Amino acid sequence: MSDGAGQALRTTPDARAGSWAPVAVPGRAAVQTLVPRNTRRCHGRLPPIADHGLVGDLQTAALIAADGTVDWWCTPRFDSPSVFASLLDSDRGGHCRLTADVEEEVTVRQLYLADTAILVTRYMAPDGVGEVVDFMEPDPSTTASASHRLVRVARVVRGSLPFELICRPRFDYGRAEHFLDRLDDGSFVFHGPDTDLHLQASAPVELHPDGSDVTARFTLHAGEQVAIVLTSESGDDDARSGRPGGPAPDIEAITAAFHACRAFWLTWLRSCRYRGRWHETVVRSAITLKLLTYAPTGAPIAAATMGLPEQIGGERNWDYRYTWIRDASLSVRALIDLGFTDEADAFRRWLRERLDAGASASGEPLQIMYRVDGEPHLREEVLDHLEGYRRSAPVRAGNEAADQIQLDIYGEAAYAIAQAEDIGGIRGWKVFADLLDWLAEHWDRADEGIWETRGGRQDFTYSRLMTWVAFDRGVRLATTHSRPADLARWGAARDTVFQQITDRGWSEKRRAFVQHYDTDVLDASLLLMPRVGFLAPDDPDWLTTLDAMDEELVSDSLVYRYDPAASPTG
């Protein structure tokens, strides 16, 4: 959820609520919804995907709906099997719900604490106003952790409110059984095959077993708060302690963790040099990019989720919890523009390691996507026991598109790297130069294209455009920094690509550049043509291309990638 869609928050001392309390700063409307009787979902009815907030610790992330339900959490990594996946199946996926349990209709607002990844879900009922505050403590270290903690704090600021807690984990995408181990009235451990989930509650909450799940009901009055802590611990049986969360959560310790989390995000944002009118929106976007970057390797993922449909009821339900060279390069370039150079350095190291590793699973120097640790094999499977988001099946885990050939990734990687000028010293330059030497021999091939269509390879114009970018940026860097390079070869390849695009990527019928050489279909990816310097923004051929796209691909200010009905590649 965008910070621009929610009220800004600040913290302030509050004698009734302990040492901290979120306070709304007027001026921007929050995301608001009326939740029906008991704030419980109708059976099988999932909320809109957009009605979720994102919290994370830079190694994993959770999605939390406006009704207080953790609908998605994979641990110990973004691409690990899920513990909660009710976003894909409300019955079999598993969830953890902490919500106001009232009979009347209640107004719910979900928003972020300003300039942080701390999520606040506010419940306003006739008898009281309460909140659930969710956060994970960021771990920016380069060491992968087997333990991760999701903190949920319920509090009441006016009147009184009853709350309900339901914790129903379903390990391995809902395929694995688990057993429940009771440690005391405020602490249970769910033992899964590779992960233990420790549930703890501070006094006066009493947890009760419900089969292999846990529930609780409690009432809070103004100024009272309790902490619910979920701690995952992964690894083999010997590596897991059986008590991953330690003693019952202490409110003072939780408050300190809250302040540390807030301080981390405020400190990180000090590097941001954007000062324009869209500051809040840009900052929220930057935080989201940071949340989706795996700190141990510096690899950004495309999304925290898998199996969600492009269209309700459709079959294009892919797994996006991986690092696409293209998406990561564009994300890192955006962070560089904002001043976050550490993220660019980390990604550059990760990218160089992929090139040093030699041929990928696709047989190319780079493949289009990897796991966050650089593993190139992403076996795709269908989870046919899950019904999918609003019955959009099949649900897919893994992504067999990893072995596709998409030549544009070399241009995106060069484009992102070139923003930092120094691409990793002499060793980094050698790897980069070797890549361009290889590309000079192999650029003129059909490929699957940016949209990963599964209808066969074509001579995609965007792929050619980005190979032009690779050669162009290579020539510029070599010239600027006096690096050894086969400039004649790179320059000749750049000019040949340019001529081919202008000759074969142009449709006289459409008066526009088109998706590939054997079609008249328009493609929004070509909107980058002037951005990367291929032609000027006022070039007549570009202006007619832009007019054609505006007429065919733009709807209510949003832009379709292309028209699938018009494209034989699907």
Side-chain angles (χ1 to χ4, degrees):
M1 296 172 58
S2 168
D3 188 58
Q7 285 182 321
L9 295 182
R10 57 183 173 86
T11 56
T12 183
D14 189 327
R16 298 174 304 165
S19 60
W20 65 273
V23 177
V25 177
R28 288 178 292 148
V31 173
Q32 177 172 311
T33 181
L34 287 177
V35 179
R37 179 184 176 92
N38 289 323
T39 65
R40 295 174 186 151
R41 299 181 185 183
C42 299
H43 178 70
R45 180 66 175 175
L46 293 171
I49 296 171
D51 284 0
H52 289 81
L54 178 72
V55 298
D57 62 3
L58 309 184
Q59 295 190 27
T60 182
L63 289 178
I64 302 170
D67 64 358
T69 302
V70 182
D71 276 324
W72 183 257
W73 189 23
C74 297
T75 182
R77 299 191 330 194
F78 296 114
D79 56 357
S80 299
S82 63
V83 173
F84 301 127
S86 55
L87 190 63
L88 298 176
D89 192 310
S90 58
D91 294 327
R92 301 179 186 89
H95 65 269
C96 177
R97 182 171 302 147
L98 178 59
T99 188
D101 183 22
V102 297
E103 293 294 330
E104 305 87 354
E105 282 195 341
V106 55
T107 299
V108 179
R109 291 182 178 178
Q110 190 177 67
L111 43 134
Y112 289 105
L113 198 67
D115 295 345
T116 75
I118 298 172
L119 188 68
V120 179
T121 308
R122 181 169 296 170
Y123 301 94
M124 290 168 283
D127 294 331
V129 175
E131 296 174 338
V132 174
V133 179
D134 289 287
F135 65 93
M136 298 179 73
E137 300 148 274
D139 180 5
S141 71
T142 57
T143 302
S145 175
S147 181
H148 301 272
R149 188 167 80 155
L150 171 60
V151 179
R152 316 198 70 190
V153 177
R155 61 189 296 272
V156 169
V157 296
R158 180 179 64 79
S160 63
L161 275 181
F163 287 85
E164 178 184 56
L165 170 69
I166 302 174
C167 189
R168 304 190 189 280
R170 297 294 183 264
F171 295 89
D172 190 21
Y173 306 116
R175 296 180 294 192
E177 298 292 332
H178 70 270
F179 67 92
L180 189 63
D181 185 8
R182 182 171 191 160
L183 303 181
D184 52 52
D185 288 345
S187 185
F188 283 82
V189 177
F190 303 88
H191 296 282
D194 300 306
T195 301
D196 288 342
L197 183 67
H198 196 180
L199 172 65
Q200 302 164 284
S202 63
V205 178
E206 293 185 7
L207 303 176
H208 302 283
D210 180 12
S212 60
D213 304 320
V214 172
T215 64
R217 286 182 172 81
F218 54 93
T219 298
L220 298 178
H221 302 280
E224 295 179 338
Q225 57 186 333
V226 299
I228 308 295
V229 179
L230 294 161
T231 306
S232 71
E233 187 170 89
S234 302
D236 57 34
D237 291 338
D238 293 336
R240 286 180 267 167
S241 67
R243 300 179 64 94
D250 175 76
I251 289 297
E252 290 187 3
I254 294 298
T255 300
F258 166 86
H259 283 299
C261 180
R262 180 173 179 266
F264 170 87
W265 290 108
L266 295 179
T267 300
W268 181 74
L269 284 173
R270 288 174 186 168
S271 298
C272 183
R273 56 181 181 233
Y274 178 80
R275 296 295 183 268
R277 62 178 295 195
W278 307 109
H279 179 77
E280 292 167 355
T281 302
V282 169
V283 163
R284 178 55 51 201
S285 297
I287 289 174
T288 302
L289 291 177
K290 181 67 172 176
L291 278 173
L292 296 178
T293 299
Y294 186 65
T297 64
I301 61 172
T305 54
M306 51 163 267
L308 295 178
E310 289 187 9
Q311 295 178 320
I312 299 300
E315 297 183 357
R316 297 184 177 189
N317 314 322
W318 315 119
D319 190 344
Y320 289 108
R321 300 170 299 156
Y322 306 116
T323 301
W324 269 256
I325 296 297
R326 175 194 310 113
D327 299 59
S329 297
L330 295 174
S331 298
V332 167
R333 183 187 175 282
L335 290 174
I336 291 173
D337 288 345
L338 294 174
F340 300 105
T341 56
D342 288 347
E343 286 70 22
D345 292 339
F347 175 69
R348 183 171 57 197
R349 289 191 295 270
W350 181 89
L351 184 59
R352 195 178 79 185
E353 289 170 0
R354 305 288 71 73
L355 291 167
D356 285 340
S360 63
S362 66
E364 305 280 300
L366 286 175
Q367 68 184 48
I368 65 170
M369 71 179 93
Y370 298 83
R371 293 189 180 276
V372 291
D373 60 357
E375 166 61 41
H377 300 286
L378 283 68
R379 184 178 66 88
E380 183 176 310
E381 60 179 324
V382 173
L383 306 180
D384 52 14
H385 64 288
L386 299 177
E387 68 176 12
Y389 178 80
R390 297 191 178 178
R391 303 189 182 278
S392 300
V395 174
R396 295 181 176 90
N399 201 315
E400 67 181 11
D403 62 359
Q404 288 190 358
I405 295 176
Q406 297 178 16
L407 295 172
D408 64 282
I409 63 174
Y410 300 104
E412 271 114 11
Y415 192 37
I417 289 172
Q419 302 305 308
E421 293 297 326
D422 174 19
I423 67 169
I426 296 174
R427 189 177 300 274
W429 174 258
K430 185 179 186 304
V431 171
F432 182 66
D434 289 345
L435 177 64
L436 288 186
D437 287 340
W438 176 90
L439 189 61
E441 290 287 337
H442 297 89
W443 68 266
D444 196 9
R445 294 178 294 160
D447 68 347
E448 274 86 5
I450 181 175
W451 307 127
E452 294 166 17
T453 58
R454 301 191 180 187
R457 295 176 182 174
Q458 300 287 343
D459 293 309
F460 283 98
T461 307
Y462 180 76
S463 297
R464 295 295 197 275
L465 171 69
M466 296 313 292
T467 59
W468 178 89
V469 169
F471 293 125
D472 181 72
R473 297 316 189 266
V475 169
R476 292 189 193 186
L477 285 173
T479 303
T480 301
H481 298 286
S482 301
R483 298 299 189 194
D486 193 342
L487 290 176
R489 189 183 188 194
W490 296 359
R494 176 193 61 188
D495 296 344
T496 301
V497 176
F498 183 91
Q499 192 64 45
Q500 189 184 100
I501 291 174
T502 55
D503 289 346
R504 301 180 61 194
W506 172 261
S507 169
E508 284 293 340
K509 176 182 176 182
R510 302 300 304 271
R511 299 297 301 167
F513 290 99
V514 291
Q515 186 176 73
H516 62 78
Y517 295 168
D518 295 322
T519 187
D520 289 324
V521 174
L522 302 177
D523 193 315
S525 64
L526 299 178
L527 288 168
L528 283 178
M529 281 183 139
R531 185 70 175 89
V532 299
F534 183 82
L535 43 67
D538 58 354
D539 187 291
D541 286 353
W542 171 245
L543 294 177
T544 57
T545 299
L546 195 60
D547 288 341
M549 289 188 185
D550 185 54
E551 181 178 345
E552 184 172 302
L553 299 183
V554 178
S555 176
D556 192 24
S557 77
L558 300 177
V559 184
Y560 287 96
R561 297 180 298 180
Y562 62 95
D563 182 0
S567 175
T569 58

